[in-house]
Amino acid sequence: MASLPDDGKVQASSVEQKDQNLHNFSTSGVSIEEIARIRQQCKEESFWYRALPLSLGSMLVVQGLVANGTFKANPRSGALPKMALAGAMGFAVGTMSYIRTCQKKFESIGVQFCPGQKRHCPHTCKECKAKSEKSELETGKTGKIQDSHFVKRSD
């Protein structure tokens, strides 16, 4: 849904702009099938190699702690709520721990993630340029953030 203003230029709707903001990466000639393949591979590997082992391991540890008496079992439902919580947390931590590995896989085929990264982007987009200019204004030649209440001394 694009609108046509008086000057004849096409503007993207807010829905399209939100969609573009969700995908802040440049593909630089990589096929969509390749991206989909790596995404599916990352999903499977993060599940089998990180999420499932951490989930099962944390559930076993909690069950052992309940059986040992370190954790007290719920009188109505036993150790199940604690084990379920440990399993869910292990699954989430395991999945998140695989993010950097997947990001490296995408970068190996040429997909660059920006501007969400903390390190410098390989290209200069408007948002990166604005952040760079803002940080240069906030930091002076000394590299420290300057406060408007203090006068800068020249040493």
Side-chain angles (χ1 to χ4, degrees):
M1 294 188 176
S3 61
L4 192 61
D6 295 335
D7 61 357
K9 294 182 182 177
V10 177
Q11 294 178 339
S13 69
S14 63
V15 174
E16 290 171 342
Q17 288 173 350
K18 284 182 183 178
D19 188 42
Q20 288 173 354
N21 288 339
L22 290 175
H23 305 291
N24 285 332
F25 58 85
S26 66
T27 57
S28 66
V30 179
S31 70
I32 294 174
E33 292 82 18
E34 182 73 9
I35 292 174
R37 184 187 64 79
I38 290 179
R39 185 172 181 232
Q40 184 63 31
Q41 182 183 15
C42 282
K43 277 181 161 180
E44 291 175 4
E45 289 178 0
S46 72
F47 176 77
W48 290 108
Y49 298 139
R50 302 275 177 93
L52 185 66
L54 277 176
S55 179
L56 293 176
S58 62
M59 290 171 70
L60 284 172
V61 167
V62 167
Q63 176 58 35
L65 291 173
V66 169
N68 190 22
T70 305
F71 285 166
K72 188 175 179 181
N74 188 328
R76 201 167 114 199
S77 54
L80 186 63
K82 289 179 177 61
M83 287 178 53
L85 181 63
M89 288 178 61
F91 186 86
V93 168
T95 303
M96 287 187 293
S97 71
Y98 207 74
I99 289 174
R100 183 65 190 138
T101 305
C102 287
Q103 193 173 19
K104 286 180 183 177
K105 288 182 180 188
F106 280 109
E107 288 173 354
S108 71
I109 63 166
V111 177
Q112 296 294 323
F113 293 90
C114 185
Q117 287 183 327
K118 301 237 185 266
R119 55 185 186 267
H120 181 67
C121 299
H123 65 283
T124 306
C125 58
K126 291 178 184 177
E127 189 171 340
C128 292
K129 190 181 291 187
K131 284 182 181 179
S132 174
E133 290 172 358
K134 183 178 178 184
S135 67
E136 286 175 8
L137 291 175
E138 288 177 354
T139 60
K141 293 180 183 178
T142 61
K144 297 179 182 175
I145 297 178
Q146 298 176 9
D147 192 357
S148 61
H149 297 288
F150 297 104
V151 178
K152 184 177 175 184
R153 292 185 352 190
S154 59
D155 293 326

